[in-house]
Amino acid sequence: MKDGEYYSALDLMMLPLDERACIFNDEFILADNLKTSGEVMDLLADEAAAPFITSPYPFKIRFTMMMFCLGGRMRVQHNLSEYLLQKNDVLFILSGAIGQCLEISSDCKIAIIAFLHQNLVPEINSQVAVVVRKFLMERALLHLADNDMEELFLLYRMLQRRIEQSDYAYKRELITSCMQMMSFHFFNWMKPYVDQQEKARVGNRKRQIYDDFMQLLQSNYTSERSVGFYAGKLCITPKYLSQVVYAVSGRYAGDWIRDYVILEAKALLKSGRYNVQQVSNMLNFPNQSFFGVYFKKETGYSPRAYQETK
């Protein structure tokens, strides 16, 4: 990696891939660190992967990815939540998420499916789509039983073989079918959790308000920083919204808004694509000076100083 170059805006084809990775049309990738001998490649010892794994800065991820942990452990930050991946865990990362690897064991076994376009995973029906969306609004990690992970990995290996097969004429159709099958499996495993959460919400007005606030926040934080905006959308007062959010999460609504904005600002500043003025505009600040005061108050750095840190 060149001096001063950061990978904080992560595009699909920037992934550290080796000759074992399977790539279809630069839009769909299968990759893992499992050698044919059965041994595991230590990602920290890999020159291509290490800069991504050890980066002290968050990545703005511009593709969708499913990360399967088959052994070992990996600790990651996904937006404002921290997850520990262990054997049989699947982490779902949607395009636009901000993530960072915090820790990884030398024996960690990881396989990923990453893709650019949602048309490779068409929505099957509204019921499936709603359950999957509700699950992913709550959390990004799903733990599977041994036999369920084995079944998914069989699909993964089959896709690998067919993508590598030069004379296989229906690769896109096969990818779409396999991803659709995986979606049904995930729906089946996610639904009990979603049903349980829905039961917990019945009669719990505060939990419903908090969930609705977080859903609105994730869709609007780049343009709206006012507690009043979210309270208005929920038809309650800003004071009551803050009280409810604090009662449920231990943090005020303004804290959640601020942390989402700062995390986004950090990723944009480190992306190497935008100057401070552009980031200020993208986050809907009235001017660069106001953005600088806001950012420095929360981080201790001016935006430009943060952008130049290594």
Side-chain angles (χ1 to χ4, degrees):
M1 184 167 61
K2 296 178 182 178
D3 187 38
E5 180 182 22
Y6 298 95
Y7 288 107
S8 296
L10 188 58
D11 292 311
L12 185 66
M13 295 312 296
M14 289 171 61
L15 288 171
L17 306 170
D18 60 22
E19 67 280 355
R20 296 175 299 109
C22 293
I23 304 172
F24 174 74
N25 284 358
D26 289 350
E27 61 177 316
F28 185 86
I29 291 174
L30 300 171
D32 57 69
N33 66 332
L34 308 176
K35 299 181 180 179
T36 53
S37 62
E39 297 177 357
V40 180
M41 180 177 67
D42 183 357
L43 292 171
L44 286 171
D46 181 71
E47 291 184 0
F52 292 85
I53 294 171
T54 60
S55 171
Y57 305 109
F59 297 98
K60 179 77 172 181
I61 300 169
R62 302 179 185 276
F63 53 88
T64 299
M65 177 167 63
M66 293 184 290
M67 184 179 292
F68 304 87
C69 183
L70 305 168
R73 61 197 300 273
M74 184 179 192
R75 190 164 58 90
V76 302
Q77 184 177 16
H78 177 274
N79 290 332
L80 291 178
S81 299
E82 189 174 304
Y83 295 100
L84 177 65
L85 279 77
Q86 300 185 86
K87 184 180 179 182
N88 293 344
D89 285 340
V90 183
L91 182 70
F92 300 88
I93 302 172
L94 302 182
S95 181
I98 299 174
Q100 183 180 2
C101 178
L102 303 176
E103 179 187 353
I104 187 168
S105 64
S106 60
D107 63 341
C108 187
K109 301 177 182 178
I110 292 290
I112 66 166
I113 299 177
F115 50 94
L116 275 179
H117 308 298
Q118 293 299 327
N119 60 5
L120 287 170
V121 192
E123 289 190 356
I124 305 146
N125 59 52
S126 58
Q127 183 188 19
V128 173
V130 167
V131 166
V132 172
R133 286 198 197 103
K134 282 185 176 180
F135 181 90
L136 295 180
M137 285 298 300
E138 292 275 348
R139 56 194 298 167
L141 192 71
L142 179 67
H143 181 73
L144 304 180
D146 286 341
N147 59 321
D148 293 331
M149 181 60 88
E150 288 171 9
E151 189 171 347
L152 283 182
F153 201 59
L154 285 173
L155 285 171
Y156 173 91
R157 287 301 194 204
M158 181 184 71
L159 276 171
Q160 265 189 334
R161 288 194 300 271
R162 295 309 180 205
I163 292 174
E164 288 174 345
Q165 186 178 334
S166 59
D167 63 345
Y168 193 81
Y170 301 100
K171 293 180 182 180
R172 178 175 291 277
E173 291 80 1
L174 183 70
I175 289 170
T176 301
S177 297
C178 284
M179 295 302 292
Q180 201 170 57
M181 189 180 300
M182 284 189 182
S183 296
F184 275 122
H185 286 326
F186 288 132
F187 163 74
N188 188 58
W189 300 322
M190 291 173 177
K191 191 173 185 303
Y193 176 85
V194 171
D195 289 345
Q196 183 180 6
Q197 292 301 105
E198 290 297 315
K199 287 180 182 178
R201 289 189 188 95
V202 174
N204 189 337
R205 173 65 176 157
K206 288 184 177 181
R207 181 71 200 194
Q208 289 178 349
I209 290 172
Y210 169 76
D211 290 344
D212 290 343
F213 164 71
M214 292 303 293
Q215 204 164 354
L216 282 169
L217 177 59
Q218 290 176 40
S219 301
N220 295 281
Y221 70 89
T222 57
S223 59
E224 299 291 345
R225 296 185 304 280
S226 164
V227 175
F229 167 82
Y230 298 96
K233 289 289 186 181
L234 297 171
C235 301
I236 56 178
T237 67
K239 182 179 179 180
Y240 184 61
L241 174 59
S242 285
Q243 290 174 342
V244 168
V245 171
Y246 184 82
V248 175
S249 70
R251 306 175 73 224
Y252 290 106
D255 297 333
W256 280 109
I257 296 168
R258 177 203 65 214
D259 289 351
Y260 265 97
V261 172
I262 291 297
L263 186 63
E264 180 81 9
K266 286 180 174 179
L268 291 172
L269 288 168
K270 279 296 181 183
S271 70
R273 300 183 179 203
Y274 312 107
N275 60 34
V276 175
Q277 180 64 64
Q278 288 171 318
V279 174
S280 173
N281 293 340
M282 291 167 75
L283 293 177
N284 203 38
F285 282 87
N287 53 61
Q288 182 176 330
S289 176
F290 191 90
F291 170 56
V293 171
Y294 184 95
F295 188 85
K296 187 170 185 177
K297 179 183 177 182
E298 302 304 332
T299 67
Y301 291 91
S302 70
R304 192 174 304 282
Y306 179 81
Q307 199 169 39
E308 294 172 354
T309 56
K310 298 179 180 179

